[in-house]
Structures are given as C-alpha cells and as structure tokens.
C-alpha cells in the first residue's frame, strides 16, 4: 500500500504520542507520516522528533488554514492514498489504515473515504449518543444520484479520519482556503465531477469533544458561515430534517434512561448549535451585501 499520513498539530503534547504509537502498530505501514505543526508552545515538537519515521513541517500559527495547510501538506507527500488524522483521533484497531483505504482499492471511482468516530472514555452521555447517530455502524457509498434523497448528507466527510485518492484530489483542484469543512467541500467537488465518496465504519478512531456552550456556538457559527457562503458549491443541497432527527434520537434515548441532567445539557448544546449556525449565516449574508 502506497500511503501517506498527514497530521496537523498545535500544542498536542498530551495526545500526539498515543496517536504515533498507534500508527506504528498498524498492520500495513504508511510510506511516510507528515506532522504539520503550527508553532506549538509545549513539547509537541520534541515528542514528534523522537519518532524517526515522522517528517516534521513547521509553519507560523497565523498561516494555518484548514484547507490550504492540508493542501500544502498533501503536495509535500507522495502516497497514492493520503490519509488525514487530527492530533486527538486515535485508531482503535491495528487494521485501521487497511480498512480505511479498502473501499478505494475495491472501487476506483471512490475518491474519499471517512472512518467512524467513537466517543472517548471521558465523553459525556449526550455526546456519546450524538457520535452514535452521526457515525453509524453501516457503510455507505454516495454519488450525485443520492442528492435528492440524502441532501447535505451526500457530502458527509471528516478529516479527523479520512483517506483521499491522490489522482482524484489533484484532478478536482484540491482544498480551498476555508477555515472549516474543507472535507465536505472536497466531497462536493468529487461528487460534482462524477466520483464517489464513502463511509467505512470498520475504520474506527476514538475522537470526541465535551464542548462548552460558547465553544459549540463558535464552532457552529463557523459552520453556518461556511454553509451560507458555499451553498452553490454544495449544489444547494437540502439541509432540512437532519438536525431534527438528531435531536429526536438523542432526546428519546436520554428520556428512556431517565437521564434528565444530560437531557437539559443536550438542550443547551442544541440551542448553542442553532444560534451559532444562524449567526454565521447572518454574517455571511451581511458580508455579501
């Protein structure tokens, strides 16, 4: 397997070692691992340099961008398959890489594969349920023909744990300069060009966050801004229904468990998501006008 791995880092001293050790144990080994560090102020660089197989790229923090930084790193790499991980996503199995690239090996028209994100041990209950809803145990392969049925979910992708076919990536122009959802935008490019994107639940990582309401607001403000700005790139795909299904699924399970504290916390989290999304869309519309 001709595989490159790219990991952006920032102050990752508490996370990067576990990830690099997990990659050392993979049943198929990557040709190279690139860590792109944005001027960490902790021991990240020192820990990375202990792993002789890892190539370290250092950039100024103000130069980091979710799209263009990953594009730069991909162009510095050489693998036929380029896998992205975030610093806090740790493979569950020694077969993670093998399983992640398998759909692209089996189908030459698949350009992008995302893996399954399982909640970490410290994830609060409603976050566990959100992860289960967003990352089910059934695989999928999506193309332009799924737009009417799936809407915005057609472009589901996450660079927390993903793999790209290099030739397809270069053919479609690569990541744009965006500060969030570069993965979704790339998925849309692939699908618009007639290629496919896949979700492979057997390729699992532990990855979750216990965000505060203010953090959730900020995150969804960025997402709302992105969705409003790139509506045409996303083919005006429908967003109706997915949020409601998530709320109903998580809330009903918390009610069945009698977990009213988490139900209230989830309600606050949902409000932060909704208000952030609306604020981001409003900012995008104001910027256009």
């Amino acid at each position: 397997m001709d595989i490159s791995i790219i990991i952006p880092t920032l102050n990752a001293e508490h996370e990067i070692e576990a990830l690099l050790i997990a990659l050392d144990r993979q049943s198929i080994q990557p040709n190279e691992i690139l860590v792109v560090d944005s001027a960490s102020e902790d021991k990240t660089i020192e820990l990375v340099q202990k792993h002789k197989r890892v190539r370290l790229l250092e950039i100024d923090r103000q130069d980091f961008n979710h799209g263009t930084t990953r594009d730069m790193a991909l162009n510095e790499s050489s693998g036929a398959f380029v896998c992205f991980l975030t610093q806090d996503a740790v493979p569950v199995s020694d077969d993670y890489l093998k399983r992640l690239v398998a759909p692209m090996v089996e189908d030459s028209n698949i350009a992008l594969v995302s893996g399954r994100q399982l909640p970490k041990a410290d994830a609060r209950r409603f976050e566990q349920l959100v992860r289960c809803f967003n990352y089910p145990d059934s695989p999928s392969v999506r193309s332009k023909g799924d737009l009417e049925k799936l809407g915005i979910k057609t472009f589901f992708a996450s660079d927390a744990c993903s793999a790209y076919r290099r030739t397809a990536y270069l053919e479609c122009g690569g990541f744009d300069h965006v500060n969030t959802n570069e993965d979704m935008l790339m998925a849309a490019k692939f699908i618009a060009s007639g290629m496919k994107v896949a979700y492979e639940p057997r390729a699992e990582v532990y990855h979750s966050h216990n965000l505060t309401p203010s953090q959730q607001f900020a995150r969804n403000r960025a997402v709302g801004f992105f969705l409003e700005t790139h509506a045409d790139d996303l083919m005006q795909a429908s967003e109706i229904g997915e949020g409601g299904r998530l709320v109903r699924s998580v809330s009903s399970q918390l009610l069945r468990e009698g977990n009213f504290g988490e139900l209230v916390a989830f309600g606050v989290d949902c409000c932060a998501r909704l208000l952030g999304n609306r604020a981001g869309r409003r900012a995008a519309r104001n910027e256009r006008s």
Side-chain angles (χ1 to χ4, degrees), residues 51-85:
H51 294 259
K52 301 305 181 184
R53 298 176 57 228
V54 178
R55 180 181 171 197
L56 177 66
L57 303 176
E58 298 181 65
I59 63 173
D60 291 335
R61 192 172 303 181
Q62 63 267 23
D63 292 335
F64 177 82
N65 174 269
H66 281 286
T68 53
T69 298
R70 284 181 169 87
D71 181 73
M72 176 274 292
L74 186 144
N75 283 289
E76 287 282 336
S77 71
S78 60
F81 303 118
V82 182
C83 301
F84 289 96
L85 283 159

Side-chain angles (χ1 to χ4, degrees), residues 62-178:
Q62 63 267 23
D63 292 335
F64 177 82
N65 174 269
H66 281 286
T68 53
T69 298
R70 284 181 169 87
D71 181 73
M72 176 274 292
L74 186 144
N75 283 289
E76 287 282 336
S77 71
S78 60
F81 303 118
V82 182
C83 301
F84 289 96
L85 283 159
T86 53
Q87 66 190 40
D88 57 342
V90 179
V92 174
S93 165
D94 292 348
D95 288 329
Y96 165 75
L97 279 179
K98 180 180 179 180
R99 293 168 178 172
L100 185 67
V101 300
M104 289 190 290
V105 173
E106 295 164 3
D107 185 344
S108 62
N109 204 32
I110 293 177
L112 164 60
V113 183
S114 292
R116 188 183 191 190
Q117 299 180 36
L118 302 179
K120 294 182 178 180
D122 66 348
R124 61 185 309 165
R125 182 57 179 151
F126 80 73
E127 174 63 12
Q128 295 174 15
L129 295 172
V130 168
R131 291 279 150 175
C132 289
F133 180 88
N134 286 331
Y135 301 94
D137 60 4
S138 55
S140 66
V141 177
R142 285 153 281 129
S143 64
K144 194 179 292 185
D146 294 302
L147 270 169
E148 184 175 349
K149 176 184 176 183
L150 298 179
I152 200 75
K153 289 291 285 186
T154 308
F155 312 125
F156 167 77
S158 174
D159 282 340
C161 52
S162 63
Y164 290 76
R165 188 185 301 276
R166 175 182 294 277
T167 53
Y169 177 90
L170 296 176
E171 180 182 330
C172 290
F175 293 126
D176 291 350
H177 183 88
V178 288

Side-chain angles (χ1 to χ4, degrees), residues 195-222:
M195 300 180 196
K196 304 173 188 175
V197 298
Y199 167 68
E200 178 46 72
R202 297 182 307 147
E204 299 171 316
V205 297
Y206 291 117
H207 182 246
S208 59
H209 299 284
N210 293 321
L211 299 181
T212 65
S214 61
Q215 290 170 329
Q216 194 66 271
F217 176 91
R219 182 172 185 171
N220 280 271
R221 186 184 188 281

